[in-house]
Amino acid sequence: MEKPLTGNFRPDKTAVSLPEYERAGGYQGLRKALAMEPAEVTELIKRSNLRGRGGAGFPTGTKWSFVPMGKEAPHPKYLVANADEMEPGTFKDRALMERDPHQLIEGLIVSAYAIEADIGYIFLRGEYECSNQRLSRAIAEAKASNYLGRNILGSGYSLEIHLHASAGRYICGEETALLNALEGKRAHPRAKPPFPQVCGLWGKPTIVQNVETLCNVHHIVDKGPDWFRGLSRTEDGGTKLFGVSGKVRRPGLWELPMGTPLREILEEHAGGMRDGLHFRGLLPGGASTDFLVEEHLDTPMDYGNVQKAGSRLGTGTMVVLDDQTCPVGMVWNLEHFFAQESCGWCTPCWSGLAWTEKILFAMEQGRGTARDLDTLMFQTKFLAPGNTFCAFAPGAVEPLQSALKYFAGDFRRHIDEQRCPWR
C-alpha cells in the first residue's frame, strides 16, 4: 500500500534533507497549488474527504471555507499548525516532525495559500526539542530555496512561518486556548462564536490545524482527491497514523488505511499481548476517549464506526489495558493528569475533576465507600458536554464513564475489600 505520510522515513530516524525530499517529489504539490486559484485548492480538499487528525475529525475543506476571502477580507490572516501534542498516549505528530519536517512545511504553505494567509505559525510542544531543531533547519532551507518568504517561486504569493515553542499546557490542544497562549495571554478557551476562522489570532481570520492533517494536504493537491479517497477502506479519505502503547509485543506507530479494524492493528502490527497477559480493553484515540473492549475489536478505525461503538477515533493512538493492570488505578492516573491540567476557567472542570481524582485515589488507598460509585457516576453527567466552557472536561471523564460501565466489578472489589486487588 502507498504510505504518503511515512514513505520518506529513514530507518535511522534522522530527518529527510531538502534534496532528498525534492527527489521524492517534495514541493511538487506546492508548485501545482500556486498554479491554481486558492478556492480551487480548498475544493480539492473538500472532495478528498480529509478530516482533521487532531481529534475532532471536522472536515478540513469545510473548515477552510468559513474563512473570509477576496479583496474585502481582513488581513493579515493566519494559519497555525497545532503541534502541541500533549494527549497522553499520543506520539504521531512528533514522528512526522522529527523524520520528515519539510512535509509539514509544504502542507502548511499550501494550506495557507488556500485561505490567502499572510503568516504561519507552528505552535510546538516545548519538550519536543528534537522537532524544534529539525523544523528550524527545514524552515531555513525552505526560505533559502524560495519555498518560503517573498514571492514564493515567482507566484506573487508571500508567506512567513514562525516556530513558537509552547510553555506546555494540555489545554492548548483547544484551538482558542492555543491562540490566547500565542498572543501571550493565559491559555484559557474563548467563547464561540465568533469562531477563529472569522476572528482568531489578534482578531483576524485564523485556521488552526493539526500537524498530521496539514501533512496530507500537498499530497492531495499533487495526486488528486480521488487518489486520496482510494487509500482508505471507508468513506473518510486517506491513510491514518495509528499507534499502540501498553503491554503489547511491539508497541509503535504505523501508517495504515483509514478504516483498518482494531483487531488487525492490535494483533498483526502490535503483535498482540505480551506472554502471560490478556487483553481487557483500550482507549482508541488517546487518554480522553472511552474504553473499547473485546466485543469491539472488529470495529473499523474511522470516525463514524468508532463513534457507533461508543467512543471516538481521537488521535488514533491507543492505550491498551491488560488483565494484570488495575483499571481503577489506570483511570485514577488519567484523572490526576486532567485535574492538574485544567485551566481553571470554569467551576465544573477545575472543581469536578479534582473531586473525581480524590475519590479514585481514596479507592486505590482502600478508603472507598459505596456512595463513591454514585458520586463518580454523577460527575460523568455533571461534566458532560454543554455543562462546561469547552470540551476539556467532557473528554477527561470519557475513560471514567466507560470504565464504570465495563469494569464495574473492579470498582466494587476496591470498596468491598478496602484495598487495590492488584497490589
Side-chain angles (χ1 to χ4, degrees):
M1 59 163 285
E2 289 188 80
K3 297 184 178 182
L5 296 176
T6 61
N8 291 339
F9 280 15
R10 299 169 64 170
D12 61 2
K13 299 185 179 181
T14 56
V16 175
S17 67
L18 177 56
E20 290 174 314
Y21 185 70
E22 290 172 322
R23 285 196 296 271
Y27 290 106
Q28 291 305 308
L30 173 60
R31 293 178 187 276
K32 291 183 179 180
L34 294 174
M36 303 177 186
E37 292 297 320
E40 293 179 297
V41 177
T42 297
E43 183 60 28
L44 287 179
I45 302 306
K46 283 184 179 180
R47 287 168 46 202
S48 73
N49 292 344
L50 172 65
R51 297 178 64 171
R53 304 304 204 230
F58 194 82
T60 304
T62 301
K63 183 176 182 177
W64 294 1
S65 69
F66 299 145
V67 176
M69 300 290 284
K71 294 180 180 179
E72 302 302 319
H75 282 269
K77 297 182 194 177
Y78 299 95
L79 193 293
V80 182
N82 185 352
D84 195 46
E85 191 172 47
M86 292 281 287
E87 181 74 15
T90 301
F91 45 91
K92 64 184 182 64
D93 295 339
R94 174 184 173 184
L96 290 169
M97 292 184 291
E98 288 185 359
R99 300 177 70 176
D100 198 358
H102 279 284
Q103 181 172 225
L104 171 59
I105 293 168
E106 183 179 7
L108 197 157
I109 300 167
V110 173
S111 304
Y113 176 74
I115 65 166
E116 299 176 337
D118 307 278
I119 300 171
Y121 282 95
I122 300 174
F123 190 92
L124 181 66
R125 179 175 175 177
E127 293 86 352
Y128 281 5
E129 295 181 3
C130 180
S131 297
N132 193 323
Q133 294 169 4
R134 293 180 180 182
L135 284 169
S136 296
R137 184 167 59 248
I139 289 171
E141 290 174 340
K143 283 183 177 179
S145 298
N146 195 219
Y147 295 128
L148 268 177
R150 301 286 300 174
N151 191 23
I152 296 173
L153 300 177
S155 65
Y157 176 64
S158 301
L159 179 73
E160 294 292 337
I161 292 180
H162 304 287
L163 182 59
H164 175 85
S166 164
R169 291 304 306 271
Y170 178 83
I171 190 61
C172 290
E174 200 282 334
E175 62 180 3
T176 62
L178 182 155
L179 295 178
N180 273 341
L182 198 53
E183 291 180 5
K185 302 170 184 174
R186 289 191 67 178
H188 287 155
R190 300 176 182 178
K192 300 176 184 178
F195 292 91
Q197 294 94 318
V198 176
C199 182
L201 191 62
W202 291 294
K204 300 297 184 181
T206 305
I207 286 291
V208 180
Q209 210 77 70
N210 169 260
V211 166
E212 185 184 353
T213 311
L214 292 171
C215 287
N216 280 289
V217 168
H218 64 94
H219 293 295
I220 295 168
V221 174
D222 185 28
K223 298 183 179 180
D226 294 338
W227 164 83
F228 188 75
R229 291 196 307 271
L231 297 174
S232 172
R233 299 186 186 179
T234 181
E235 63 181 15
D236 299 326
T239 59
K240 178 77 185 73
L241 294 184
F242 293 111
V244 178
S245 60
K247 296 176 184 177
V248 294
R249 286 192 176 93
R250 295 189 300 272
L253 187 73
W254 306 272
E255 182 179 5
L256 300 169
M258 183 71 82
T260 299
L262 259 176
R263 188 183 304 276
E264 179 181 329
I265 299 170
L266 186 62
E267 296 181 358
E268 294 185 23
H269 299 283
M273 304 303 296
R274 294 181 192 170
D275 292 342
L277 300 178
H278 295 90
F279 173 84
R280 290 203 69 188
L282 57 78
L283 303 170
S288 59
T289 56
D290 287 272
F291 277 99
L292 297 180
V293 293
E294 184 80 32
E295 67 188 77
H296 303 120
L297 285 181
D298 293 317
T299 301
M301 284 288 279
D302 63 20
Y303 297 97
N305 282 297
V306 176
Q307 186 174 10
K308 289 177 185 177
S311 189
R312 292 184 300 111
L313 181 66
T315 61
T317 45
M318 56 199 77
V319 183
V320 176
L321 171 68
D322 64 274
D323 65 340
Q324 299 299 310
T325 298
C326 174
V328 178
M330 178 178 175
V331 173
W332 165 73
N333 187 42
L334 295 175
E335 299 307 326
H336 178 72
F337 169 82
F338 289 128
Q340 284 186 319
E341 289 295 328
S342 172
C343 76
W345 188 243
C346 66
T347 300
C349 184
W350 69 260
S351 179
L353 289 177
W355 188 9
T356 299
E357 186 270 337
K358 288 179 181 178
I359 292 172
L360 291 168
F361 180 70
M363 281 188 178
E364 276 291 279
Q365 297 297 309
R367 295 182 282 108
T369 67
R371 290 184 60 186
D372 288 340
L373 294 178
D374 294 330
T375 303
L376 290 174
M377 188 60 71
F378 166 78
Q379 294 287 57
T380 66
K381 304 295 188 291
F382 183 57
L383 299 176
N387 295 336
T388 59
F389 197 73
C390 76
F392 179 105
V397 294
E398 285 186 19
L400 172 63
Q401 68 187 8
S402 51
L404 289 168
K405 175 182 178 180
Y406 295 120
F407 312 123
D410 299 278
F411 283 86
R412 286 193 292 269
R413 281 190 67 188
H414 279 70
I415 294 167
D416 294 342
E417 299 178 19
Q418 288 293 285
R419 67 186 183 92
C420 174
W422 278 263
R423 291 187 179 179

